[in-house]
Amino acid sequence: MTSSTGPGIRALYAGNARSVMARGLLATRSTNWVIVLSGVFEPIFYLLALGIGLGSYIGDVTDAQGTPISYAAFIAPALLAVAAMNGAVYDSTWNVFFKMHFGKLYQGMLATSLGPLDVALGEVALALLRGAAYGTAFLLVMQVLGLNLAWTAILALPALLLIAFGFASLGMAITSYLKTFQQMDWVQFFLLPMFLFSATFFPITVYPEVVQWFIMALPLWHGVELVRGLTTGALGPEMLIHVGYYLGMVAIGLVFTTRRLRALFLD
């Protein structure tokens, strides 16, 4: 039984995802660093314009426990989750799409000892790093502006990694099924409503109950609530539901990506 299982596992995973990741880091350093830098500043501009600018007119809002907090402290953790999502999604969709259909990189990688799970893990790790970089930079800005209201804000760092991991895994899985640039436009079509309606700028209670249930099914809402609870100190057992949601995203994304890469380039 061991001999029949071993070769099958080695066909999927050679334990060398780090080489895929190293190649991506070199490419980012040489060609994509300006795009990466722009992603760091985008959520900061939103925070300054809306959280501090518009927030001076709105005044205080209440967190999940009914405690009054400034509008800037309310939207900052949401923008933090959005930053992690955007960084992970960009790397796991557009970059992966180009490598798969134009650069033909995965065909070359899978012609070596690397397996599809190596490629999937390496690319997801790259996207995770990008999302974590965006989120960490923004978290430091929040600290400087005094928008981290509880010591548990330090736990937002591993939460950001989980959010980025979830979106990167699912993003790459979806991208592996897309074949044209027109289909890729659907990625942005789904990201924009999530950004606007996932309790990012307003409490979810402002929406009708039917809309609230729809919003609570969106992955970004779980990330926003997770990070907001950690930065404001509004903790509760529902945090475990948010964590479980993202763990499910990671598992589903990796399984589908591995199967799809194997079907495309090995079978």
Side-chain angles (χ1 to χ4, degrees), residues 103-123:
K104 306 296 182 182
L105 295 179
Y106 298 148
Q107 291 92 322
M109 290 179 182
L110 294 174
T112 67
S113 61
L114 294 176
L117 185 56
D118 293 285
V119 175
L121 288 175
E123 291 291 355

Side-chain angles (χ1 to χ4, degrees), residues 11-61:
L12 291 176
Y13 183 56
N16 197 19
R18 63 185 179 276
S19 63
V20 179
M21 185 176 172
R23 184 262 166 210
L25 289 174
L26 287 174
T28 299
R29 187 177 64 179
S30 61
T31 60
N32 295 334
W33 65 271
V34 175
I35 297 175
V36 174
L37 193 62
S38 68
V40 172
F41 285 102
E42 181 181 357
I44 297 175
F45 294 151
Y46 274 110
L47 177 62
L48 295 177
L50 299 177
I52 296 178
L54 182 62
S56 62
Y57 293 95
I58 293 177
D60 290 345
V61 296

Side-chain angles (χ1 to χ4, degrees), residues 80-109:
L80 182 58
V82 170
M85 176 190 75
N86 285 343
V89 167
Y90 182 88
D91 249 2
S92 64
T93 56
W94 285 103
N95 281 353
V96 167
F97 182 80
F98 179 83
K99 293 173 183 177
M100 184 177 297
H101 295 286
F102 296 93
K104 306 296 182 182
L105 295 179
Y106 298 148
Q107 291 92 322
M109 290 179 182

